[in-house]
C-alpha cells in the first residue's frame, strides 16, 4: 500500500519535520518490504528472485529508471540533476548451515521484541529497503532538485567485495560524486574501513611412494617453515598496541595439498593468508612482507583471485587486494552527513570505522568520496538469530532522506 501525502510546504518551514511526518506514513510499508526481502533466499550468486522483487518494488515506488545489470544487480535512479549521490547495499547473503540452532525460521521474516529476525536482516536487506524508500520519499517530498540519486542493490558482495559495484560503474556509466555504503553501523557514521588482502602461497615438492619418502620431497614439510613465519607475524600484530580494527592482522585460513593418494608424498602444498590492512599499508608493504615470509623456502605467492558466476551467468573475478580507505571530517560529504543525522536526532552522530570489508573498496578505487551508515549491529551478521532493530531501519531511512536533502 502506498501513501501519498499532500506536501503543502514546498519550500517549507521545516523540511526535516516533513520528512519525519512522511516517514510515519510509510513505516509499515518499509518494514513489510524488509520482511519480504528476508523471506526470499538470496545466497551469493543465486539472487535472481530477490533481484526481480527489488526491480518490481522500485518500479512500483516510481523510480525514474530501474536497471538490472549484467551481473543481476538492480539499480534505481531518481532525478537527473548534476549532483550525483549513490547508495549501495548488497542483496546477497551468506548461507544458513546452522538452521537447527536458530530460535526462529531464518527465512520467516519474523518480528519479535521490535526486531526483524532472519538471514540478511542486518547484512543487509533492511539497509537496502531503507535506501530504496529514501529515494521514493525524496521524490514525493520534492527533494531532488539539481540531484541524481542512484540506489544500488548489488549482488555477490559476500565473496567478491566491490566487484558488482565496480561493474555498475564500468558498464552503466554511473559516476557518482558521493557514495553511501549502507552496511550496518548501528546508525553511527562510518568514516572508513580496514582493508583486506588474501594471498595464496604455493610450495612445490616431488612425489614418491609413501613407503620410500626419501625418494621424494614432501611439499607439506617444506611449508612448515612458512607456517611458522606466518604465526610469528600473527602474534606480533596481536601484541601490537591498539584496538582490533586499528592494527593490522594476519592469519592462515586454509591449507591444502596435492597428493596422488593416501600413500604418496605430496607434490604440492598451498596455504591461504588473510591479511587486514590499516591506513598507509600499501601493496608494496604487503609485497615486502610476503617476500620475507617465503624467502629462502622456494615457495611462490600471489594475490588470490576468487572466480565465480553471477546468477545471470557472467563470470566475476575478485582480485583480493583491497586497501584501507577513509574520509576526512572536513569533507563536504561528511559535513552533509552530520547535518542529516542532526536533522533527525538533534545530536551529533557517533563515529566509527568498519573493521571488515565492504563495497566501499569499489568507490575508493574510483576515488569517490564515501561514508557509511546502516541499521543494526554488524556483530549479528553471519550468525544464528541474525536480527535488526526496527527503529534502526526507520532511522536509517530518515538519515538517507535527510542526506539527499542536504547534499
Ligand atoms: Zn556479510
Amino acid at each position: 500500500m502506498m501513501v501519498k501525502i499532500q506536501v503543502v510546504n514546498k519550500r517549507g518551514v521545516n523540511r526535516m519535520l516533513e520528512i519525519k511526518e512522511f516517514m510515519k506514513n510509510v513505516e509499515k510499508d518499509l518494514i513489510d518490504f524488509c520482511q519480504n526481502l528476508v523471506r526470499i533466499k538470496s545466497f551469493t550468486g543465486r539472487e535472481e528472485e530477490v533481484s526481480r522483487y527489488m526491480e518490481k518494488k522500485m518500479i512500483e515506488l516510481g523510480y525514474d529508471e530501474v536497471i538490472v545489470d549484467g551481473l543481476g544487480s538492480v539499480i534505481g535512479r531518481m532525478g537527473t540533476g548534476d549532483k550525483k549521490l549513490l547508495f549501495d547495499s548488497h542483496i546477497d547473503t551468506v548461507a544458513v548451515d546452522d538452521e537447527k540452532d536458530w530460535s526462529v525460521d531464518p527465512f520467516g521474516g519474523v518480528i519479535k521484541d521490535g526486531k526483524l529476525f532472519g538471514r540478511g536482516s542486518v547484512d543487509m536487506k533492511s539497509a537496502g529497503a531503507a535506501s530504496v524508500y529514501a529515494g521514493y520519499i525524496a521524490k514525493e517530498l520534492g527533494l531532488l532538485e539539481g540531484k541524481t540519486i542512484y540506489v544500488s542493490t548489488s549482488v555477490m558482495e559476500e565473496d567478491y567485495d566491490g566487484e558488482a559495484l565496480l561493474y555498475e560503474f564500468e558498464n552503466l556509466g554511473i559516476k557518482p560524486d558521493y557514495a553511501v555504503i549502507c552496511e550496518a553501523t548501528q546508525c553511527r557514521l562510518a568514516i572508513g574501513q580496514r582493508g583486506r588482502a588474501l594471498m595464496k602461497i604455493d610450495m612445490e615438492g616431488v612425489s614418491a611412494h609413501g613407503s620410500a619418502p626419501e625418494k621424494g620431497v614432501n611439499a607439506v614439510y617444506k611449508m612448515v617453515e612458512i607456517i611458522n613465519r606466518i604465526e610469528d607475524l600473527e602474534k606480533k600484530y596481536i601484541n601490537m598496541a591498539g584496538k582490533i580494527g586499528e592494527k593490522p592482522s594476519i592469519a592462515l585460513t586454509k591449507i591444502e595439498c596435492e597428493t596422488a593418494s593416501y600413500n604418496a608424498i605430496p607434490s604440492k602444498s598451498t596455504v591461504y593468508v588473510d591479511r587486514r590492512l590499516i591506513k598507509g599499508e600499501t601493496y608494496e608493504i604487503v609485497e615486502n612482507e610476503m617476500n620475507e615470509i617465503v624467502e629462502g623456502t622456494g615457495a611462490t605467492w600471489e594475490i588470490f583471485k576468487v572466480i565465480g558466476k553471477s546468477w545471470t551467468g557472467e563470470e566475476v573475478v575478485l582480485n583480493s587486494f583491497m586497501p584501507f580507505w577513509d574520509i576526512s571530517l572536513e569533507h563536504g560529504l561528511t559535513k552533509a552527513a552530520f547535518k542529516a543525522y542532526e536533522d533527525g536526532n538533534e545530536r551529533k552522530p557517533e563515529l566509527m570505522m568498519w573493521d571488515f570489508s565492504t563495497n566501499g573498496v569499489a568507490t575508493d578505487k574510483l576515488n569517490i568520496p564515501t561514508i557509511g551508515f546502516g541499521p543494526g549491529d554488524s556483530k549479528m551478521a553471519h550468525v544464528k538469530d541474525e536480527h535488526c532493530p526496527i527503529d534502526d531501519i526507520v532511522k536509517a531511512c530518515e538519515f538517507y532522506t535527510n542526506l539527499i536533502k542536504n547534499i
Side-chain angles (χ1 to χ4, degrees):
M1 194 53 123
M2 231 182 288
V3 186
K4 290 245 175 191
I5 289 192
Q6 193 106 48
V7 181
V8 189
N9 236 338
K10 274 276 180 214
R11 304 253 160 246
V13 187
N14 203 331
R15 300 236 78 167
M16 72 209 201
L17 285 179
E18 225 167 62
I19 291 171
K20 263 201 198 303
E21 200 54 40
F22 197 95
M23 287 290 316
K24 280 187 203 145
N25 292 289
V26 296
E27 193 178 316
K28 191 184 171 303
D29 290 350
L30 166 61
I31 303 306
D32 280 352
F33 182 34
C34 294
Q35 284 177 287
N36 289 339
L37 288 170
V38 168
R39 286 175 186 136
I40 303 171
K41 288 182 186 172
S42 59
F43 308 134
T44 306
R46 289 182 278 160
E47 307 90 342
E48 180 166 8
E49 193 184 346
V50 86
S51 292
R52 293 298 176 205
Y53 177 61
M54 192 57 95
E55 179 189 21
K56 200 176 128 235
K57 188 73 184 184
M58 287 188 190
I59 292 170
E60 202 180 294
L61 290 176
Y63 270 74
D64 295 337
E65 187 183 11
V66 182
I67 302 165
V68 180
D69 76 8
L71 293 183
S73 298
V74 186
I75 302 96
R77 178 183 58 76
M78 284 293 202
T80 51
D82 289 342
K83 216 179 249 181
K84 299 185 179 75
L85 170 66
L86 172 130
F87 294 91
D88 177 74
S89 304
H90 65 83
I91 48 173
D92 62 317
T93 74
V94 293
V96 175
D97 49 16
D98 55 357
E99 194 163 345
K100 60 174 184 354
D101 299 330
W102 285 60
S103 69
V104 294
D105 175 0
F107 305 102
V110 178
I111 292 179
K112 224 174 52 175
D113 307 326
K115 299 171 194 118
L116 170 64
F117 282 77
R119 176 57 82 233
S121 56
V122 81
D123 187 19
M124 54 181 291
K125 290 174 169 177
S126 301
S131 66
V132 169
Y133 265 80
Y136 157 68
I137 297 168
K139 186 180 191 179
E140 292 295 307
L141 293 181
L143 305 174
L144 294 170
E145 207 173 308
K147 294 163 194 176
T148 303
I149 307 302
Y150 295 105
V151 175
S152 152
T153 56
S154 48
V155 294
M156 302 189 83
E157 187 273 346
E158 289 294 350
D159 294 337
Y160 306 88
D161 333 21
E163 289 304 320
L165 190 52
L166 274 179
Y167 185 98
E168 291 174 26
F169 296 151
E170 281 160 15
N171 293 278
L172 306 181
I174 294 174
K175 180 78 177 70
D177 303 304
Y178 311 104
V180 182
I181 301 295
C182 306
E183 289 266 12
T185 65
Q186 292 179 291
C187 292
R188 294 171 293 170
L189 186 62
I191 51 170
Q193 73 165 70
R194 222 161 45 139
R196 179 169 89 91
L198 180 62
M199 274 75 65
K200 176 175 178 267
I201 304 175
D202 285 317
M203 179 73 83
E204 299 289 337
V206 178
S207 185
H209 197 279
S211 63
E214 70 281 5
K215 295 204 169 118
V217 179
N218 194 314
V220 174
Y221 295 166
K222 280 178 77 186
M223 190 63 96
V224 171
E225 172 62 21
I226 288 178
I227 294 173
N228 287 335
R229 289 177 190 176
I230 295 167
E231 195 184 0
D232 287 347
L233 197 56
E234 178 179 319
K235 284 183 189 144
K236 185 181 136 190
Y237 287 148
I238 289 170
N239 293 328
M240 266 172 78
K243 285 186 260 172
I244 297 175
E246 290 168 357
K247 54 186 182 181
S249 69
I250 190 166
L252 189 159
T253 52
K254 190 175 177 179
I255 180 161
E256 49 194 33
C257 77
E258 280 175 24
T259 185
S261 79
Y262 288 110
N263 53 27
I265 302 302
S267 58
K268 189 179 172 188
S269 65
T270 302
V271 296
Y272 297 84
V273 179
D274 177 296
R275 176 74 159 80
R276 302 293 159 141
L277 308 163
I278 60 167
K279 192 170 188 146
E281 286 192 315
T282 57
Y283 177 80
E284 286 67 36
I285 287 174
V286 174
E287 187 181 29
N288 287 336
E289 183 178 283
M290 290 305 297
N291 285 341
E292 273 175 37
I293 285 173
V294 301
E295 197 185 347
T297 65
T300 57
W301 71 271
E302 62 185 37
I303 300 288
F304 187 54
K305 282 194 169 69
V306 190
I307 301 172
K309 257 202 174 79
S310 68
W311 68 259
T312 59
E314 259 197 62
E315 187 173 89
V316 180
V317 182
L318 173 73
N319 188 24
S320 315
F321 186 85
M322 295 156 277
F324 168 103
W325 61 266
D326 66 355
I327 187 166
S328 150
L329 291 178
E330 300 309 312
H331 195 282
L333 175 61
T334 323
K335 285 184 173 164
F338 263 80
K339 171 107 183 34
Y341 187 88
E342 283 162 25
D343 281 355
N345 303 278
E346 288 164 359
R347 61 184 169 85
K348 286 190 188 344
E350 263 181 71
L351 300 179
M352 56 98 66
M353 299 279 292
W354 281 309
D355 57 10
F356 54 91
S357 186
T358 73
N359 269 350
V361 298
T363 52
D364 173 65
K365 203 167 188 174
L366 298 189
N367 295 316
I368 300 163
T370 301
I371 54 152
F373 192 97
D377 186 347
S378 64
K379 284 195 192 72
M380 289 315 305
H382 305 196
V383 300
K384 68 167 177 150
D385 287 347
E386 176 178 348
H387 62 257
C388 186
I390 302 291
D391 285 352
D392 271 25
I393 303 172
V394 176
K395 213 167 157 181
C397 182
E398 185 182 13
F399 170 82
Y400 300 149
T401 311
N402 275 310
L403 185 62
I404 294 172
K405 168 175 73 74
N406 291 335
I407 197 74

